[in-house]
Amino acid sequence: MDAEATVGERVRAYAWPRAKLVGGAVAVGAVVGAALLAALVVAGGWAVVGAAQFAFALGTLAFGLGLLGWSGSAMAGRGFENMQEHLDTNTDWTEADSRRAMARVGGFGGGAMLATGVVEFVALGV
Amino acid sequence: MVSKRFIAKRLLLLVPVLFGVSTFVFAILHLSGGDPARIIAGQRASEEVVRQVRQDLGLNDPILVQYGRFLVDVVQFDFGNSYQVSKGNPVRQVLIARLPVTIELALYGQFIGLALGLPLGILSAIKQDSLLDHTTRIGALAGISVPIYWSGPLLILFFSGYLGIFPAAGRIGSTIFLDNSWTLLGMELPLTGMVTIDTLLLGRPVAWLSAVSHLFLPAITIGVYSMALVSRMMRSSMLEVIRQDYMRTARAKGQGAKITVMKHGFRNAMIPVITVVGIQFGTLLGGAVLTETVFGIGGIGTLIVSAINATDYPVVQGAVLTFALLFTLVNLGVDITYSYLDPRIQQ
């Protein structure tokens, strides 16, 4: 980063790649969540509310796993890297890669939760 | 000196961890099937009663609302009442009663792991490729590889069945009864729930001996894995450290070998070992579930097993989150120790 860059530019350089990564995953999750919901209702014969609740729970599974994996990597990732290095079990696993992957998984789950949650609200007429 | 900013940053990390665990638990319980309303009302209850229970529990609300309500309850550590295991009692109360048992077991396991693993690792490194080193390596491999559900019964068979020197189950002798409180300077204080400490507080050495002898086999069972990992890490880390220039300089200035290793080598070699202690505390807690079941100890581990068998969802939620909280707090402690040993980490 250029030493003379303004605060705005620095924030943009920091936030944009991260927002793009998570935002992309949220969008994909929303589309997949909505598609799963439609498939359960149309092809599976489920009631809209039941299908939305099931799809939402699947979304929370991915979101929870992603969030737990992301924060776990941030918290204990350095320790895992150390352990692999010292026990000669290097698998090329790194904290940074893990955080990126988990942010994608979490974003995907969050998108699915958002889409199915909104559909259920609309279906229930809340 | 550990900076407050560093501690605050690590504390902030606890929030997404616990949020992640709560969300994960919510998802698993909603996907695992089984109707909580039916479990509470009983198998013979009429549909009308089950419907009423569903309404009371808020299971007819949109799932987003249920999720929000669940998170609000989790923040307050309120998981409602137990359905089956401790029917009608608040889960928080059940957990508070069982938690000291598991903490006591995990602490003793960790203590055994460190007390045996550190010296073995150091000796292994100093006497590299000697008979002691090879023996320790084989012992460590065995410790990592042997599962608790096998080593536990084996220890019971040998030390309890064959030698008869340690009891096979329980936390204290069946004829020993402890009071509910102890007195300090005329004030009546509650006991900790950890029998080895409570017996000391009550000034009962015979009961203390009984508690220690009951805890010995479970703590060894759970501590062996920890010992194996710690000794391997210590050996590897110490081998790296003893080849450093500052170690050679210390020796060249006339310092004895033992003092050089303990004064200059030990602290530096401990840095990677400390991180492993934090990580494998999770394994220790997982091991507590099996160890408590094998040795008939009524801690959170046995509670989880009973709650899963009885589909008692609130207890499962509470127990899993308690384990997650314990794990994250231990890792916070490890991070602080780590940054104290190596202040560069704080940068």
Side-chain angles (χ1 to χ4, degrees), chain A residues 8-75:
Chain A
E9 282 169 339
R10 283 185 191 186
V11 169
R12 213 170 302 129
Y14 177 84
W16 177 239
R18 288 165 175 78
K20 211 163 73 173
L21 188 140
V22 177
V26 168
V28 172
V31 171
V32 172
L36 174 70
L37 190 58
L40 286 174
V41 173
V42 176
W46 289 47
V48 177
V49 173
Q53 293 204 344
F54 179 71
F56 184 91
L58 280 180
T60 51
L61 193 65
F63 179 67
L65 181 71
L67 194 59
L68 190 59
W70 178 87
S71 50
S73 304
M75 195 176 72

Side-chain angles (χ1 to χ4, degrees), chain A residues 53-54 56-58 60-61 63-65 67-68 71 74-76 78-80 82-83 86-87 113 120-121 124 126, chain B residues 10 16-17 19-21 23-24 27 31 61-64 67 232-233 236-237 240 272 275-276 279 335 338 345:
Chain A
Q53 293 204 344
F54 179 71
F56 184 91
L58 280 180
T60 51
L61 193 65
F63 179 67
L65 181 71
L67 194 59
L68 190 59
S71 50
M75 195 176 72
R78 197 178 48 233
F80 273 111
N82 255 330
M83 195 164 81
H86 281 90
L87 296 180
M113 284 167 69
E120 195 199 5
F121 261 98
L124 283 172
V126 180
Chain B
R10 304 309 289 179
V17 172
F19 182 31
V21 174
T23 307
F24 200 62
L31 290 170
D61 295 337
I63 194 158
L64 211 55
Y67 178 60
R232 294 307 299 155
M233 281 295 289
S236 158
S237 179
E240 232 176 71
T275 54
V276 169
I279 292 168
D335 276 343
Y338 190 79
I345 300 295

